Amino acid sequence: MSNLNKKVVVIGSGFAGLCAAGTLAKQGHKVLLIEKNEQIGGRARVWKEKGFTFDMGPSWYWMPEVFENYYQQFGKKASDFYHLKRLSPSYRIYFGKNDQVDVPSDYQSLRNLFEEIEQGSGDKLFRFLNDAKYKYETGMNDFVWRPSNSITEFFELRIVKALFKMNLFGSVSAEVRSLFKHPKLRKLLEFPVLFLGATPQNTPGLYSLMNYADLVLGTWYPMGGMNEIVKAMEQIALEQGVEIHVNEEVRSIEHQHHKITKVITSKSSYEVDGVIAAADYAHVDEKILPKEFSNYNPSEWDKKTMSPSSLLFYVGINKRLKNILHHNLFFDEDFEQHAKEIYTEPQWPSKPLFYVCCPSLLDRSTAPEGHENLFFLIPLAPGLQDSETEREKYFEIMLDRLEKYSGEEIRNHIVVKRSYAMNDFVKDYHSYKGNAYGLANTLLQTAFLKPKMKSKKLKNLFYAGQLTVPGPGVPPAIISGQLAAMELSKNL
Ligand SMILES: Cc1cc2nc3c(=O)[nH]c(=O)nc-3n(C[C@H](O)[C@H](O)[C@H](O)COP(=O)(O)OP(=O)(O)OC[C@H]3O[C@@H](n4cnc5c(N)ncnc54)[C@H](O)[C@@H]3O)c2cc1C
């Protein structure tokens, strides 16, 4: 019997769900994508208020070829949907008042910057990025496409050799620190792995591939905002015949002979041949599946290292700004202290590092005439007690520092403001412990050591998204959706 035209439900419409749905529909399956929220896109939704359009989650567009690869499968390219611009400089790091570095987008200027900060570091940068290139190419063209169902997928001499060459067992931090002495260069090179949810000390050296993505492949921006990617993927899914239901929550399943037969939602029930669970993995395990069918039990989930949660503010101001860039990192406080307060002694940070994005500097569609659109983010330990008072306290801290370093008056110009933190992540996405971007990429949570994509107990269920392989971030979520779709397809 042909394996085409099977009925598949995809739970959750983040990037993983959208890409799984598009991929399965292209293979000829009848796909229903079910999303609990009013908008699709998951963590990449938008909030519109008084003429402002705020991207609610991701703001850094890295690894553009991962997006292109997905579009290509449907005979499309990113430029069919949105105009991508490379940011130059890529971003700014504030180390203190009148002490900042703008990270250039071209290699020669970057090398000059390194030499200015630490003599002799230009050659080391060249070597470091060459290594990072090898890791990026091997990682992104090969490793991330392995479903990692079993360690045996990596039993090949070529692969084992590559794992050593990629410094899987060392840390990004050790690698950076062995080459560069200056604290500014160390911070600059250790920053990208923070996207992966763990400290540079706990992130395998393999992930310096992120430095290649950052410093060589560049930081891009889709005009119109990050939600343009969601619109592109929605269009592809619809063209492939995917049916999308919003405002509908998956509540439970029915099963027979170790297969899901029905998906039950807040509105209806659907007979299925296969399911992709692209909602938060722990939520699926704990709330949707009967206990005996979950892949991991609550105590196993509790032991996993989650990526941080975040405190966010979406702020509109009635003036234009001159003295900041699109992406601004405030690394003017002790990195280690903040990391400790996220990972080892979870608490609200005593002196937080934070990030401010101002997309309206480049993209006037995100704010009304004469106004600016600002997004603030402080990484926080997942599972903290969340309250309005705490949120406000940290907003004031960030404003003080932003005003001081940029020399811009902001406080009295605020016309729109909304905070977003742990409680919202839990309520809106069923996020485990309010995590913002999934599971941390530590050594013990890499590849086949991550929560498995394949259900151990239900033959026609595969998980996708930022809590399984390959990991957190938009490009990995895109790959995860495609991988899960291919795995399910083989099993249908
Ligand atoms: C504040 C923030 C900033 C970030 N910055 C960046 C960045 O700059 N660059 C980058 O690459 N990555 C960034 N990330 C990470 C990136 O956004 C995520 O890794 C990625 O979007 C996750 O996609 P996903 O499909 O795995 O999950 P999600 O986007 O969470 O999608 C899961 C979906 O499932 C739905 N759902 C849950 N339960 C149910 C249910 N029972 N029934 C139906 N639907 C359900 C949820 O509502 C949600 O829509 C950021 C994340 C956050 C939160």
Side-chain angles (χ1 to χ4, degrees):
M1 197 175 77
S2 154
N3 73 344
L4 294 183
N5 219 1
K6 298 283 183 187
K7 290 190 284 270
V8 178
V9 159
V10 176
I11 310 172
S13 70
F15 291 112
L18 281 165
C19 293
T23 307
L24 283 158
K26 181 162 183 284
Q27 291 170 350
H29 301 296
K30 194 171 173 316
V31 182
L32 171 60
L33 176 60
I34 303 180
E35 168 57 50
K36 74 177 268 293
N37 290 328
E38 191 180 351
Q39 271 179 57
I40 61 163
R43 271 128 164 122
R45 291 178 303 152
V46 285
W47 178 54
K48 292 186 185 228
E49 183 76 3
K50 294 187 181 159
F52 293 91
T53 303
F54 297 97
D55 274 316
M56 293 186 69
S59 53
W60 300 72
Y61 192 109
W62 275 9
M63 307 183 182
E65 86 282 2
V66 173
F67 300 77
E68 292 295 358
N69 285 344
Y70 180 68
Y71 299 140
Q72 252 171 36
Q73 327 239 344
F74 305 90
K76 311 259 189 202
K77 39 194 188 319
S79 60
D80 294 333
F81 304 106
Y82 46 81
H83 178 48
L84 264 185
K85 283 202 174 169
R86 185 163 179 178
L87 299 181
S88 181
S90 302
Y91 50 93
R92 171 171 292 171
I93 304 181
Y94 287 100
F95 294 106
K97 184 148 172 68
N98 300 324
D99 186 8
Q100 67 207 43
V101 163
D102 289 351
V103 178
S105 60
D106 73 287
Y107 177 71
Q108 195 48 50
S109 311
L110 181 71
R111 197 185 155 108
N112 295 345
L113 172 75
F114 268 63
E115 280 295 337
E116 263 169 45
I117 296 176
E118 181 180 319
Q119 221 189 3
S121 63
D123 283 346
K124 292 180 187 166
L125 174 70
F126 179 77
R127 286 208 315 272
F128 178 77
L129 287 179
N130 241 353
D131 262 14
K133 178 172 192 273
Y134 170 78
K135 292 175 189 173
Y136 182 87
E137 285 169 354
T138 314
M140 298 304 289
N141 297 333
D142 182 338
F143 284 17
V144 293
W145 291 103
R146 290 169 190 258
S148 300
N149 290 323
S150 145
I151 189 171
T152 54
E153 287 172 36
F154 297 82
F155 283 177
E156 244 179 80
L157 190 58
R158 180 180 65 85
I159 302 294
V160 175
K161 275 188 185 159
L163 286 174
F164 278 96
K165 195 164 169 204
M166 298 206 314
N167 191 18
L168 184 64
F169 305 103
S171 77
V172 166
S173 176
E175 201 171 315
V176 167
R177 283 160 195 247
S178 71
L179 288 170
F180 306 96
K181 301 281 164 287
H182 201 286
K184 282 185 183 166
L185 296 187
R186 287 179 168 182
K187 280 186 185 175
L188 195 159
L189 293 170
E190 287 181 352
F191 136 72
V193 301
L194 299 180
F195 280 125
L196 304 176
T199 60
Q201 287 76 14
N202 281 331
T203 304
L206 148 72
Y207 291 109
S208 65
L209 66 84
M210 293 290 281
N211 295 106
Y212 182 73
D214 167 9
L215 299 173
V216 180
L217 301 178
T219 299
W220 299 77
Y221 177 80
M223 293 302 283
M226 297 293 280
N227 194 253
E228 295 301 307
I229 315 164
V230 175
K231 290 186 198 153
M233 291 178 177
E234 176 185 28
Q235 188 180 321
I236 286 176
L238 293 174
E239 281 172 8
Q240 296 301 319
V242 174
E243 196 179 322
I244 301 179
H245 290 191
V246 292
N247 288 320
E248 183 167 349
E249 179 166 337
V250 174
R251 295 265 164 83
S252 59
I253 56 127
E254 284 178 13
H255 57 91
Q256 226 178 8
H257 310 306
H258 291 270
K259 280 190 172 177
I260 301 181
T261 50
K262 221 179 232 185
V263 168
I264 321 289
T265 73
S266 50
K267 291 188 176 162
S268 189
S269 68
Y270 306 92
E271 284 181 4
V272 291
D273 299 304
V275 174
I276 300 276
D280 252 55
Y281 198 138
H283 161 72
V284 177
D285 263 4
E286 293 185 355
K287 297 285 183 319
I288 297 182
L289 301 179
K291 236 191 217 100
E292 65 276 24
F293 287 112
S294 58
N295 251 11
Y296 303 94
N297 62 41
S299 69
E300 287 172 299
W301 275 113
D302 192 43
K303 284 188 206 119
K304 298 198 188 298
T305 310
M306 302 312 291
S307 79
S309 186
S310 299
L311 170 61
L312 310 171
F313 283 91
Y314 312 109
V315 177
I317 57 170
N318 63 6
K319 69 181 276 197
R320 298 298 313 273
L321 296 177
K322 287 189 210 73
N323 297 333
I324 60 169
L325 295 185
H326 190 112
H327 296 297
N328 309 274
L329 300 163
F330 289 77
F331 287 178
D332 50 325
E333 294 288 2
D334 185 3
F335 221 72
E336 269 80 37
Q337 181 63 24
H338 191 172
K340 194 162 100 187
E341 290 160 344
I342 294 175
Y343 297 102
T344 48
E345 293 167 22
Q347 57 191 288
W348 284 81
S350 42
K351 289 181 177 166
L353 309 178
F354 63 98
Y355 159 62
V356 175
C357 182
C358 186
S360 51
L361 291 173
L362 174 70
D363 182 356
R364 292 306 307 156
S365 74
T366 61
E369 191 56 42
H371 291 61
E372 220 75 87
N373 172 321
L374 293 168
F375 166 94
F376 294 74
L377 182 154
I378 301 184
L380 294 175
L384 288 183
Q385 206 59 35
D386 181 9
S387 76
E388 265 319 303
T389 326
E390 287 293 357
R391 291 184 184 196
E392 270 314 298
K393 176 177 145 195
Y394 284 90
F395 186 56
E396 289 301 318
I397 292 175
M398 289 192 283
L399 269 187
D400 281 346
R401 277 155 65 189
L402 175 60
E403 287 189 336
K404 183 167 138 203
Y405 296 158
S406 68
E408 302 260 20
E409 229 276 305
I410 291 171
R411 216 176 235 96
N412 296 328
H413 293 273
I414 296 175
V415 290
V416 164
K417 178 179 158 199
R418 175 181 173 188
S419 68
Y420 198 96
M422 275 77 72
N423 294 351
D424 304 289
F425 281 106
V426 174
K427 181 169 126 300
D428 288 350
Y429 308 116
H430 292 314
S431 152
Y432 183 68
K433 294 187 179 173
N435 79 79
Y437 32 97
L439 204 74
N441 270 1
T442 59
L443 177 60
L444 294 178
Q445 295 185 160
T446 288
F448 52 87
L449 297 173
K450 266 198 194 298
K452 295 270 183 286
M453 193 165 252
K454 184 174 167 37
S455 163
K456 296 175 213 164
K457 295 155 193 166
L458 291 161
K459 292 180 204 153
N460 59 350
L461 169 66
F462 286 82
Y463 298 81
Q466 57 181 358
L467 279 93
T468 178
V469 284
V474 178
I478 292 173
I479 292 168
S480 185
Q482 293 176 82
L483 257 182
M486 292 186 285
E487 290 299 295
L488 173 63
S489 209
K490 280 190 237 159
N491 277 262
L492 281 175

